[in-house]
């Protein structure tokens, strides 16, 4: 954490725990929420397992499990320190964009399953109609997310310039 600007560590810790609590309330698991908030609040946007463990006062196993979850959801990436076996975990400026964009594959799978459900249940049955409405909702959301992400890309470029 040598690139860090000197800060009130108690204030940083309070922010990390407060933001993590908001993420937990929204459905994220507690430990990944804490690790994500710590990475997001670091100037470098990257920390080692040891740094995360020390800052959050958690075990290496807790860091490992949290990072595994965050990597699977595309909220952090792993990188090797040059000449070392140590990994650093990095949060990008566009992590929300990546996380939402990667949800598109999930929505497509749900849409396919729902289409199958409409056929299996019969489009004119109450369950089939409910399934068709659910399918229409996910198709709508999928289209809106794609359009919104394109608008965000343009807005981000205008406001912050260049790639992340």
């Amino acid at each position: 954490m040598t690139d860090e600007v000197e800060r009130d560590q108690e204030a940083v810790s309070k922010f990390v725990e407060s933001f993590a609590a908001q993420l937990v309330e929204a459905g994220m698991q507690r430990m990944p929420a804490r690790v994500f908030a710590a990475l997001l609040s670091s100037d470098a946007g990257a920390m080692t397992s040891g740094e995360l463990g020390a800052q959050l006062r958690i075990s290496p196993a807790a860091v490992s499990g949290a990072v595994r979850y965050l990597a699977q959801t595309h909220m952090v990436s792993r990188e090797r320190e040059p000449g070392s076996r140590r990994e650093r975990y990095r949060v990008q400026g566009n992590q929300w964009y990546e996380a939402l964009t990667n949800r598109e594959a999930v929505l497509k799978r749900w849409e396919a399953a729902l289409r199958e459900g409409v056929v299996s249940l019969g489009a004119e049955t109450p369950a089939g109609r409910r399934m068709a409405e659910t399918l229409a909702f996910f198709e709508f959301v999928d289209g809106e997310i794609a359009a919104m992400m394109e608008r965000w890309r343009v807005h981000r470029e205008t406001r912050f310039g260049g790639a992340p």
Side-chain angles (χ1 to χ4, degrees), residues 3-161:
D3 295 339
E4 297 284 322
V5 172
E6 199 58 37
R7 290 200 171 81
D8 176 350
Q9 290 306 308
E10 187 175 330
V12 171
S13 183
K14 283 182 180 179
F15 165 77
V16 166
E17 296 306 325
S18 173
F19 187 58
Q22 294 298 314
L23 294 172
V24 168
E25 193 171 304
M28 187 182 280
Q29 298 169 11
R30 182 173 183 271
M31 208 51 69
R34 292 181 72 216
V35 167
F36 181 75
L39 286 168
L40 191 64
S41 67
S42 73
D43 283 334
M47 299 170 80
T48 65
S49 178
E51 291 167 339
L52 285 163
Q55 179 177 335
L56 299 172
R57 295 185 201 102
I58 59 177
S59 72
V63 172
S64 178
V67 168
R68 184 174 34 260
Y69 172 85
L70 291 167
Q72 288 171 346
T73 58
H74 305 280
M75 299 203 53
V76 300
S77 59
R78 298 170 192 249
E79 55 189 41
R80 288 260 185 227
E81 291 185 342
S84 171
R85 291 180 48 198
R86 286 189 344 172
E87 286 187 326
R88 293 182 68 76
Y89 307 111
R90 177 171 302 282
V91 64
Q92 305 294 334
N94 65 343
Q95 75 279 346
W96 297 111
Y97 178 90
E98 289 298 323
L100 279 175
T101 300
N102 286 305
R103 293 290 185 255
E104 183 178 8
V106 172
L107 287 176
K108 292 293 185 199
R109 287 195 307 266
W110 289 357
E111 288 171 20
L114 289 164
R115 271 188 206 88
E116 187 178 310
V118 171
V119 170
S120 297
L121 298 168
E124 298 309 315
T125 67
R129 282 192 297 276
R130 201 169 38 253
M131 200 71 57
E133 185 175 343
T134 303
L135 171 60
F137 172 78
F138 283 117
E139 289 171 337
F140 175 81
V141 167
D142 189 27
E144 289 299 306
I145 288 174
M148 179 181 62
M149 296 320 254
E150 179 57 25
R151 288 191 309 274
W152 165 249
R153 190 190 61 70
V154 169
H155 175 76
R156 182 180 184 281
E157 177 81 22
T158 301
R159 184 159 180 189
F160 298 103

